[in-house]
Amino acid sequence: MSTLLKIHPETPQLRQILQAVEVLNNDGVIIYPTDSVYALGCSMHSKKALERLARFKHINLAKARFSFICRSLQDIAEYTMPLDTRIFKILKKNTPGPFTFILPASKKIPRMFDNSRKEVGLRIPDSNILNMIVENLGHPLLTTSIIDEDEVLEYTTDPELIWERYQNQVDLVIDGGYGNNNPTAVINCTGGDIEIIREGIRELEY
């Protein structure tokens, strides 16, 4: 059974953040608030946790399309091909924020997932909790929404209901208050033009 850990979204306490980091460093899967809906994730360095994440979503790991939660634009260079100036400016203008940017993947991504993946989703959320977790973890989180498609139910916004539903499937649920019921916008930056795959809680600034 997992733990329900209350963390203040504006002023997270380091002791609580380190508790979440310890779970992640021990192949754990956690659920946490973002700047849109609640999501779940794990350390990018834990193959065991990645496989658990894939089973949670009922998919094969080789077919997984998990996104990376990074702390800043400087962190994404390792996971993407070099970005042109126009794309970089759009990322800079819209991060941190509730966007998932689909970008050309570096050679590191296919090796991680044992596939021929040529793109990667990257998030820099406006979340003090996640920023502190990633900073103290020392590398990005692999993340996916706890909801499927655009389905939003009451239990996906109330952390106590989330914990009741998933307490036997994850190791920790972070209660950072009620989540939003609007999903993250998904922006495809792999082609010549910017393509908005899914509208989200905030409009993209150009």
Side-chain angles (χ1 to χ4, degrees):
M1 182 181 294
S2 66
T3 301
L4 180 63
L5 178 65
K6 290 183 180 290
I7 300 181
H8 195 284
E10 300 301 325
T11 55
Q13 297 299 303
L14 180 59
R15 173 181 55 82
Q16 296 171 315
I17 295 295
L18 293 178
Q19 186 175 338
V21 169
E22 182 179 7
V23 172
L24 293 165
N25 281 329
N26 286 283
D27 301 317
V29 174
I30 70 174
I31 293 177
Y32 40 78
T34 72
D35 49 2
S36 55
V37 298
Y38 267 79
L40 73 156
C42 66
S43 166
M44 61 176 283
H45 293 321
S46 173
K47 190 67 173 289
K48 184 183 295 185
L50 282 171
E51 290 170 348
R52 288 179 60 193
L53 210 61
R55 286 196 299 272
F56 187 100
K57 300 294 283 190
H58 306 292
I59 54 177
N60 185 285
L61 182 57
K63 297 180 179 178
R65 291 293 181 265
F66 302 138
S67 297
F68 289 66
I69 289 182
C70 299
R71 193 165 54 99
S72 67
L73 289 175
Q74 285 72 23
D75 294 340
I76 73 172
E78 188 174 355
Y79 311 103
T80 66
M81 300 295 284
L83 304 176
D84 66 40
T85 303
R86 184 173 64 99
I87 298 298
F88 182 81
K89 285 182 177 179
I90 287 176
L91 265 64
K92 188 174 182 179
K93 186 172 288 188
N94 292 278
T95 58
F99 299 96
T100 297
F101 292 97
I102 310 299
L103 299 163
S106 70
K107 293 180 180 179
K108 188 170 185 174
I109 304 304
R111 291 198 300 269
M112 188 180 303
F113 291 94
D114 298 323
N115 61 20
S116 58
R117 187 172 174 181
K118 292 181 172 58
E119 58 187 37
V120 59
L122 288 168
R123 287 264 283 123
I124 305 176
D126 186 9
S127 165
N128 292 336
I129 291 174
L130 285 177
N131 283 340
M132 286 186 66
I133 288 176
V134 173
E135 180 178 5
N136 286 277
L137 185 64
H139 54 262
L141 285 173
L142 265 292
T143 189
T144 183
S145 171
I146 62 172
I147 61 176
D148 293 316
E149 302 299 333
D150 292 328
E151 176 192 21
V152 178
L153 304 173
E154 182 183 7
Y155 79 82
T156 65
T157 61
D158 184 332
E160 291 192 4
L161 295 181
I162 290 171
W163 178 75
E164 288 176 9
R165 183 180 179 92
Y166 296 119
Q167 59 183 304
N168 294 319
Q169 295 176 257
V170 301
D171 302 289
L172 178 71
V173 176
I174 294 176
D175 178 353
Y178 272 86
N180 205 292
N181 61 2
N182 291 312
T184 303
V186 179
I187 315 296
N188 188 349
C189 303
T190 60
D193 297 321
I194 301 296
E195 178 188 3
I196 299 177
I197 297 176
R198 183 178 70 195
E199 299 282 354
I201 187 174
R202 203 177 92 192
E203 289 187 7
L204 186 72
E205 293 183 46
Y206 291 88

